[in-house]
Amino acid sequence: MFIPMFSWNVFRVNLIKEGYVSYEQLHAMQKECYTMRKNDPIGRSRSNNGSGWQSNDGVNERPIFQSMINGIEKVFNKEVFPFYAGNKSKDFKLHHGNYWVNINYKNSYNNVHSHPGCWYSGVFYLQVPNETRGSGCLQFISGQAKYMQDFTHASRRDADNFVVDPVEGDLFLFPSAMLHYVEPNEVDFDRISIAFNHEFQYLDEGRLNGSPNIQASFDDVMEFEVLPDGNLEIPK
């Protein structure tokens, strides 16, 4: 049996295709981001190190972004919580953290970083012009030391990094400790994204995520049978 230990669980959902955000709402949010930059042209510098423009926190306090926030919450309830908690997924609810805007123009990038102090982080792509496709990609890094020599490049199953070329409406949710960065935008068209951090709340106790009441055991690990063609037989 193959046992996928210590995996990084990333979720990708397009909020437009799912019907959670309309194109009209998307365009309104794009305009709001430029208004925010106009009112605060300096913004702040963190992972971008002054490359591009990054807003201060508070995006989630603006009503125009509510459809995005509702969509994010639906994805947690529909996919993330059931993945981790199974039939106990309704025992938890999402606790929204801080949200901020990133506008990456030509030569803008974000350094390798993680998001300490929270549970799951994410990014929602508001504006991805076709001219930027293949440029300014999002990269996730394993961060786990491996001694596989060139065998690690034989397939993506043991890759050290994953490259994602997002489209408008894409939402990515990932563990906050996962290393990631954004490649330089090589063309003169803006990309806009909203990044955020989240925690979860125990409904019966009212407290945020912390030390769980029970310790996970080896029996909780999902095992896969490796078929002769190399594919995995998913347990029913």
Side-chain angles (χ1 to χ4, degrees), residues 201-216:
Q201 189 168 15
Y202 294 86
L203 293 179
D204 59 342
E205 301 176 31
R207 67 182 176 89
L208 297 179
N209 48 289
S211 300
N213 295 326
I214 58 174
Q215 179 65 40

Side-chain angles (χ1 to χ4, degrees), residues 146 148-162:
K146 298 177 181 177
M148 297 286 289
Q149 297 185 352
D150 283 342
F151 204 76
T152 194
H153 303 293
S155 75
R156 300 303 296 167
R157 288 189 176 175
D158 197 52
D160 293 303
N161 69 304
F162 282 87

